[in-house]
Amino acid sequence: MALTREQMAQRVAQELQDGYYVNLGIGIPTLVANYIPDGMAVMMQSENGLLGMGPFPDEASLDADMIDAGKQTVTAIPGASIFSSAESFAMIRGGHIDLTVLGAFEVDVQGNIASWIIPGKLVKGMGGAMDLVAGASNIIVTMTHASKNGESKLLSHCTLPLTGQSCIRQVLTDLAWLEIRDGAFVLKERAPGVSVEEIREKTAGKLIIPDQVPEMEFHA
């Protein structure tokens, strides 16, 4: 069974480490802030100028002026700092972000990512993704394994305009956790109940399958 958006965020949160500075992209990545392990100190950074982003607010803590880069309302943890987007991008371009979590339309076996435009569709611009893929030391892409039409998003070569080249090493889809190395996707984990064969069928790029592929584990 494919992972839900919340389960994908939970799995990414397992990669967090104490003291990390993390930037979360629009969509599924924003949910990661809700699953930071108890007792772990992680600073979430938003490109619109917030360091110390907390989980989504409830009605009592809602502040319409406190938003993330995706215009969603968020909270700020104790010790948070608010600043201009210019300072935010200085942090990103200066290599001070330990982990970036991004969505994508396509990723290929060379670690290229296409995440900002589908030709013919209206977009507001690339946003901060180009800077994030260039400045972050570690990037995790979260996306569905295939499109609504069943077409694979894990390709031999991206077909859409690129956001960055040879910068992606880890991909979490609703079916699997994969690493990119040596011109191939390496299957590391599979979603509970999802077969290796289904993942193989829905992966267009070269796929390396180890002898043992464990199911992902989620803890209450």
Side-chain angles (χ1 to χ4, degrees), residues 7 31 42 47 51 67 74-75 84 95 100 119 130 144 152 157 161 163 165-166 174 177 186 188 200 205 207 218 220:
Q7 286 176 317
L31 300 176
V42 174
E47 63 212 54
L51 181 64
I67 60 173
V74 294
T75 58
S84 74
T100 290
M130 181 174 62
T144 56
S152 179
H157 301 282
T163 308
Q165 291 183 291
S166 302
D174 55 342
W177 181 279
V186 180
K188 305 298 291 186
R200 189 201 313 270
L207 179 65
F218 296 95

Side-chain angles (χ1 to χ4, degrees), residues 9 24 29-36 44 53-56:
L24 302 177
T30 61
L31 300 176
V32 175
N34 294 330
Y35 298 102
I36 299 172
M44 297 290 181
M53 182 168 55
F56 291 126

Side-chain angles (χ1 to χ4, degrees), residues 34-87:
N34 294 330
Y35 298 102
I36 299 172
D38 291 339
M40 182 178 290
V42 174
M43 293 293 278
M44 297 290 181
Q45 191 255 17
S46 177
E47 63 212 54
N48 61 326
L50 173 61
L51 181 64
M53 182 168 55
F56 291 126
D58 54 25
E59 287 189 13
S61 59
L62 179 65
D63 180 350
D65 292 324
M66 180 69 70
I67 60 173
D68 63 15
K71 306 298 189 294
Q72 299 181 98
T73 52
V74 294
T75 58
I77 64 173
S81 179
I82 298 172
F83 38 81
S84 74
S85 60
E87 290 171 300

Side-chain angles (χ1 to χ4, degrees), residues 25-206:
I26 296 170
I28 294 170
T30 61
L31 300 176
V32 175
N34 294 330
Y35 298 102
I36 299 172
D38 291 339
M40 182 178 290
V42 174
M43 293 293 278
M44 297 290 181
Q45 191 255 17
S46 177
E47 63 212 54
N48 61 326
L50 173 61
L51 181 64
M53 182 168 55
F56 291 126
D58 54 25
E59 287 189 13
S61 59
L62 179 65
D63 180 350
D65 292 324
M66 180 69 70
I67 60 173
D68 63 15
K71 306 298 189 294
Q72 299 181 98
T73 52
V74 294
T75 58
I77 64 173
S81 179
I82 298 172
F83 38 81
S84 74
S85 60
E87 290 171 300
S88 180
F89 278 99
M91 295 177 187
I92 294 168
R93 294 168 182 163
H96 303 294
I97 304 301
D98 298 300
L99 173 65
T100 290
V101 187
L102 295 173
F105 298 132
E106 297 175 344
V107 174
D108 70 24
V109 296
Q110 300 303 321
N112 300 324
I113 176 175
S115 67
W116 73 282
I117 189 171
I118 297 176
K121 293 191 176 182
L122 179 65
V123 295
K124 295 180 180 179
M126 184 175 283
M130 181 174 62
D131 300 271
L132 287 163
V133 297
S137 58
N138 186 18
I139 304 164
I140 298 174
V141 167
T142 62
M143 63 181 189
T144 56
H145 208 97
S147 69
K148 293 179 180 179
N149 297 326
E151 298 176 352
S152 179
K153 296 183 179 181
L154 301 171
L155 308 175
S156 297
H157 301 282
C158 287
T159 63
L160 297 172
L162 296 182
T163 308
Q165 291 183 291
S166 302
C167 54
I168 307 302
R169 295 292 172 266
Q170 299 180 92
V171 180
L172 172 67
T173 74
D174 55 342
L175 303 182
W177 181 279
L178 308 105
E179 292 183 358
I180 301 174
R181 62 172 184 260
D182 301 325
F185 296 107
V186 180
L187 181 59
K188 305 298 291 186
E189 298 176 15
R190 54 194 171 90
V194 172
S195 68
V196 170
E197 187 57 38
E198 180 180 357
I199 295 167
R200 189 201 313 270
E201 290 175 356
K202 294 182 178 179
T203 306
K206 181 180 178 182

Side-chain angles (χ1 to χ4, degrees), residues 10-11 14 35 216-220:
Q10 283 180 274
R11 178 60 189 87
Q14 294 176 19
Y35 298 102
M216 298 176 198
E217 295 184 1
F218 296 95
H219 306 288

